[in-house]
Each structure stands twice: as structure tokens, then as C-alpha cells.
Amino acid sequence: QKEVEQNSGPLSVPEGAIASLNCTYSDRGSQSFFWYRQYSGKSPELIMSIYSNGDKEDGRFTAQLNKASQYVSLLIRDSQPSDSATYLCAVNPTGYSTLTFGKGTMLLVSP
Amino acid sequence: EAGVTQFPSHSVIEKGQTVTLRCDPISGHDNLYWYRRVMGKEIKFLLHFVKESKQDESGMPNNRFLAERTGGTYSTLKVQPAELEDSGVYFCASSQAYDLDRVNEKLFFGSGTQLSVL
């Protein structure tokens, strides 16, 4: 069973703070990792993908990957109320052509 | 460019009835996926089409679920007969390439169909 674990939250941060979202995965051979944002009642939207160890930055978002620890994180700098959503971690397990998702972490950014 | 569209957005049916969900992928996307999210659980994979062929149907819960993609364009997912535990949000997704490990290959999701079986 390929698993992806996330803290369900909610994670509450004040506006302007850094939000840190974490994810662990069980399949050591996984090669690609994704963060999706989902607003209530909407489709999951890809915001970051990462394939190699280290950090990847895109605007206010930074994804971090540590394959040895089987750990992926997403940092959101200068959090805005519009960032309030559920953040889904997804992994493409070895030998599969699809994604395995975590349950998601709800982020609440208060003005 | 139109995204992945799903119809209906909501469906309320009684146990034992039949429901058919439809998905139109992004034009030109050969890969089409069905996922489901049951309340309180993670989004789970159901099935993957490459064009009109079923590439992987390992996630289909049982033989009450039938997915088709005739002609390799839109897809339908039929549940017959529906049971209470089938309630949830059914998502469709599409991608251009088969290999999701390819850098910058993306999986695009539709807004989902909320299915409620009473």
C-alpha cells in the first residue's frame, strides 16, 4: 500500500506569516512530488512540482524535498487570506502512471 | 483553452438506482483518469485510460462501476446499482503525457461530481 501522510489541520497562521505544510510518503522509489491547492467545492489546482532533493521556489511558494527522509514540504511566505484552502500532497509511486494523494491539510490565514 | 469539464456537478439518487457521470478532458489529452474522494478520506485513484484503452483499473471498487471512453474523447463512469458507500466526490483528470515523472507534466482536474446516494 503506497501511502502519503499529511496533518489534517487546520493550520492557522496570521496574514503575512510563513505557513509550513508537511507530507511524508512510504514509497522510497517515488520520483515526482506535487502540491495541489483545493478551494472548497473546486477542482484541485497544481501549484508546485518537485523532482529532486532540495528546494524549489516559485513566487511565494517553496517546495522542499528530502528523499532520504521521504519528506516533502511546502512553505508559503507572506501568507494571504486568499491562501486559505486545503493543500494536497501527491506522489507518483514507482511503476504507477497515476498519483497517490494525502488527505490534505486545511490552511486558514486570518487577516 | 477549456479545462476538464464534468457533468453533472451534483447528483442525488436513491440506493439501487443507476447514475452516469461524464468527463470531457482537455482537448488533445490522451490520458484520462477517474478519482474519488469519500468524506474524510483521501482522493483515491479509480482508473486510467490511454485514449480508449483502460491502462489501469486497479482502483475500481467492484463490478458495479463501469467506465468507458469510446472514441478516446469523453468518458463516462456508470454506477449500477448505487450503494450508500458510493457517495463522495468523483473527480476526472487528464494529462497530455503518460509519464507523470516527466518534468513539468501536469495532471489537470475537473471540479468533480458530488454524488449522494440516499
Side-chain angles (χ1 to χ4, degrees):
Chain A
Q1 182 82 5
K2 312 297 183 185
E3 293 183 346
V4 177
E5 300 287 342
Q6 292 181 258
N7 188 323
S8 61
L11 172 66
S12 295
V13 300
E15 183 174 358
I18 296 175
S20 177
L21 304 160
N22 305 312
C23 169
T24 59
Y25 60 94
S26 63
D27 179 20
R28 182 169 289 278
S30 298
Q31 295 297 318
S32 49
F33 309 85
F34 306 88
W35 283 99
Y36 283 81
R37 177 177 63 199
Q38 187 178 21
Y39 295 110
S40 181
K42 302 294 184 182
S43 58
E45 173 195 10
L46 180 66
I47 53 172
M48 289 288 285
S49 56
I50 187 165
Y51 306 92
S52 54
N53 282 328
D55 294 0
K56 179 182 176 184
E57 187 174 318
D58 183 1
R60 295 187 297 112
F61 299 97
T62 299
Q64 299 174 318
L65 174 61
N66 183 328
K67 290 185 179 180
S69 300
Q70 295 173 237
Y71 177 90
V72 191
S73 67
L74 179 70
L75 300 178
I76 306 175
R77 289 182 299 282
D78 187 24
S79 296
Q80 301 297 310
S82 58
D83 294 327
S84 297
T86 296
Y87 289 79
L88 303 166
C89 175
V91 174
N92 186 16
T94 310
Y96 286 79
S97 62
T98 185
L99 300 183
T100 299
F101 284 85
K103 289 184 181 181
T105 299
M106 182 182 294
L107 172 66
L108 298 174
V109 182
S110 53
Chain B
E1 178 183 307
V4 178
T5 56
Q6 292 187 244
F7 181 84
S9 57
H10 294 81
S11 180
V12 181
I13 61 171
E14 292 188 353
K15 176 183 172 180
Q17 290 186 320
T18 297
V19 63
T20 301
L21 314 180
R22 173 172 169 143
C23 169
D24 287 77
I26 292 173
S27 178
H29 281 194
D30 288 339
N31 295 273
L32 185 150
Y33 308 79
W34 283 99
Y35 288 84
R36 176 175 74 172
R37 183 165 195 163
V38 173
M39 187 178 293
K41 303 280 190 179
E42 68 274 20
I43 296 174
K44 281 202 166 179
F45 166 77
L46 296 178
L47 169 129
H48 171 203
F49 282 101
V50 178
K51 296 185 180 178
E52 67 276 7
S53 300
K54 292 176 185 174
Q55 177 67 30
D56 181 354
E57 52 185 329
S58 61
M60 295 288 263
N62 50 61
N63 59 11
R64 295 185 293 103
F65 289 76
L66 175 64
E68 294 181 323
R69 193 184 181 194
T70 307
T73 54
Y74 72 90
S75 175
T76 58
L77 179 64
K78 182 162 71 174
V79 185
Q80 178 182 32
E83 299 288 345
L84 300 179
E85 64 265 24
D86 301 332
S87 296
V89 182
Y90 289 76
F91 290 104
C92 177
S94 72
S95 67
Q96 192 160 37
Y98 173 93
D99 184 2
L100 295 178
D101 283 338
R102 272 174 53 174
V103 173
N104 295 326
E105 181 55 41
K106 293 181 180 180
L107 199 59
F108 295 87
F109 279 83
S111 299
T113 294
Q114 173 76 56
L115 175 64
S116 298
V117 183
L118 307 178

